[in-house]
Amino acid sequence: MPLKNYGVLACSVVDRRREGAPDDTPHYQLHLTDRAGTHYRGAVNVLSQQAPSELLFLAIDDFRHPVTAQLPPAGSGWTELQSKPGTASLDFIRGNLFAPESMRKLPPDVIGPDNDLSDRLDHYIGRAMGDSTAAVYLLGERWGPEHNKRDKVFGFEPGNGVHDIHMNQGSVGRFRSSNGVWQDGALIIHFPAESRWAAVFLAFQSQAWHTDDRTGDPIETAPARPVRREAEVRILAAMVNPKGPSPERESVTLINASPEPIDLRGWQLADSADHMLPLPSELVAAGSTLVVRGGNGFALGNHGGAITLLDPEGLKVDGVSYTAAEASREGWTVSF
């Protein structure tokens, strides 16, 4: 069953608190407020209850993705989101937010500087607290407001907050009930003075990276880990905004990065709206490229989007995204 109240909190950070061992379920706790003065707590997991215990972590200092244009105004408080593409909802697998294999394991809290998950969160939260113009966004599941009940960490009333600020699909065991698509959590920060976004993504090592498009449950026959294949086709570039009047004929350039030829029979491309484009049944030589023209409903919008490459089993092999700024130059090719 998917998360009951998924959305995004647009807020500012007031305070923070680290919880490490010996807590059973330590979190990195955030005290947050919106423009209306409503108080919230953000509970960020730093240790998994299911082995392996260390979380997977990725921070992107210059995050460029069309989802940033979908986020609500800074400080506007809680906004419930529909779990579907084309909104501010996140999906680590289908949204092409980052390369999953770039995540790394980090312990929750150990002695020494800048060597654990709490240290890395301190870095980004500290920067947000030191910049009066910074806008903080927490995506996850809301709880509360809990009337006549004080928050157990920061003491404000009523208790109110956001948790599940991590990947929310591909789980097994007792956490399987929370699986769903387009409902992943994250911490995203906008620094207007620098015209820059930063993003922090978390996942549990026990979660699978190939999931059912309807339920978000693991695909049992697929490899669990997001490991790039040796025999691999990659998305190299795309002509998103060709010259000439609409409707335009976009194209995607693929490259066979492997040392062996690959038969593309049964392979497909998917756009942001999950429109599928079957690839030509061609044998692509090692190191060669193939330009695939759009059609069959497959379209690359000029306001930002995503392109996903699927193998004959329907499993994601590669994925990229582009922003409205990258698509704004007519006739230019976006290189990935």
Side-chain angles (χ1 to χ4, degrees):
M1 182 178 178
L3 301 183
K4 295 179 180 179
N5 192 2
Y6 175 69
V8 55
L9 175 64
C11 56
S12 298
V13 183
V14 176
D15 196 4
R16 55 187 164 174
R17 187 168 301 174
R18 298 169 65 139
E19 294 177 344
D23 289 300
D24 292 334
T25 58
H27 288 76
Y28 187 94
Q29 304 284 7
L30 298 173
H31 184 182
L32 312 153
T33 58
D34 61 20
R35 272 200 314 259
T38 304
H39 292 258
Y40 306 82
R41 175 162 56 89
V44 184
N45 290 77
V46 293
L47 187 71
S48 174
Q49 297 181 48
Q50 192 161 338
S53 60
E54 292 182 349
L55 265 68
L56 296 171
F57 164 88
L58 175 65
I60 302 176
D61 286 327
D62 190 10
F63 180 58
R64 303 185 185 188
H65 191 279
V67 72
T68 58
Q70 303 288 341
L71 292 170
S76 56
W78 176 256
T79 299
E80 190 169 349
L81 296 174
Q82 291 184 292
S83 296
K84 65 178 185 180
T87 69
S89 299
L90 303 184
D91 193 301
F92 288 8
I93 298 171
R94 296 159 189 83
N96 299 338
L97 298 157
F98 57 89
E101 63 272 17
S102 62
M103 302 189 88
R104 62 190 179 103
K105 296 180 290 184
L106 279 180
D109 193 4
V110 296
I111 297 174
D114 201 26
N115 62 354
D116 57 49
L117 182 50
S118 295
D119 287 343
R120 300 309 299 147
L121 291 169
D122 265 345
H123 171 78
Y124 289 97
I125 294 303
R127 291 203 61 190
M129 293 178 69
D131 184 345
S132 61
T133 67
V136 176
Y137 296 89
L138 291 182
L139 290 102
E141 184 178 41
R142 183 178 181 179
W143 81 81
E146 301 170 320
H147 296 291
N148 300 317
K149 183 177 181 181
R150 289 190 175 277
D151 180 77
K152 68 176 184 179
V153 177
F154 297 106
F156 58 81
E157 187 179 336
N160 191 27
V162 182
H163 62 166
D164 291 333
I165 307 168
H166 49 66
M167 185 173 174
N168 292 306
Q169 60 182 306
S171 296
V172 295
R174 62 192 178 99
F175 297 105
R176 190 184 186 100
S177 60
S178 296
N179 285 338
V181 297
W182 295 102
Q183 59 161 29
D184 289 330
L187 165 66
I188 300 177
I189 307 172
H190 186 211
F191 297 100
E194 303 175 27
S195 299
R196 184 170 63 85
W197 295 79
V200 174
F201 302 104
L202 299 168
F204 300 109
Q205 294 185 63
S206 57
Q207 291 175 313
W209 287 84
H210 291 289
T211 63
D212 184 89
D213 287 334
R214 183 178 58 86
T215 65
D217 290 336
I219 298 176
E220 304 297 343
T221 57
R225 303 269 61 83
V227 179
R228 285 189 177 274
R229 304 177 180 187
E230 290 184 1
E232 183 181 25
V233 181
R234 300 181 187 175
I235 302 171
L236 184 65
M239 175 65 76
V240 175
N241 187 6
K243 286 187 175 181
S246 298
E248 304 154 315
R249 191 73 185 273
E250 302 103 345
S251 65
V252 178
T253 301
L254 307 176
I255 184 170
N256 177 5
S258 79
E260 303 295 335
I262 295 180
D263 186 354
L264 295 182
R265 184 186 307 271
W267 292 58
Q268 297 183 93
L269 287 173
D271 63 16
S272 297
D274 289 335
H275 296 129
M276 299 295 176
L277 177 66
L279 299 188
S281 299
E282 293 186 18
L283 192 68
V284 181
S288 295
T289 60
L290 175 68
V291 177
V292 182
R293 304 292 177 184
N296 197 46
F298 178 89
L300 304 177
N302 295 345
H303 300 290
I307 310 169
T308 302
L309 178 64
L310 306 171
D311 71 7
E313 286 74 45
L315 300 180
K316 178 180 175 180
V317 175
D318 196 17
V320 297
S321 62
Y322 61 91
T323 64
E326 291 173 312
S328 64
R329 296 193 300 170
E330 188 178 59
W332 285 78
T333 296
V334 179
S335 175
F336 304 110

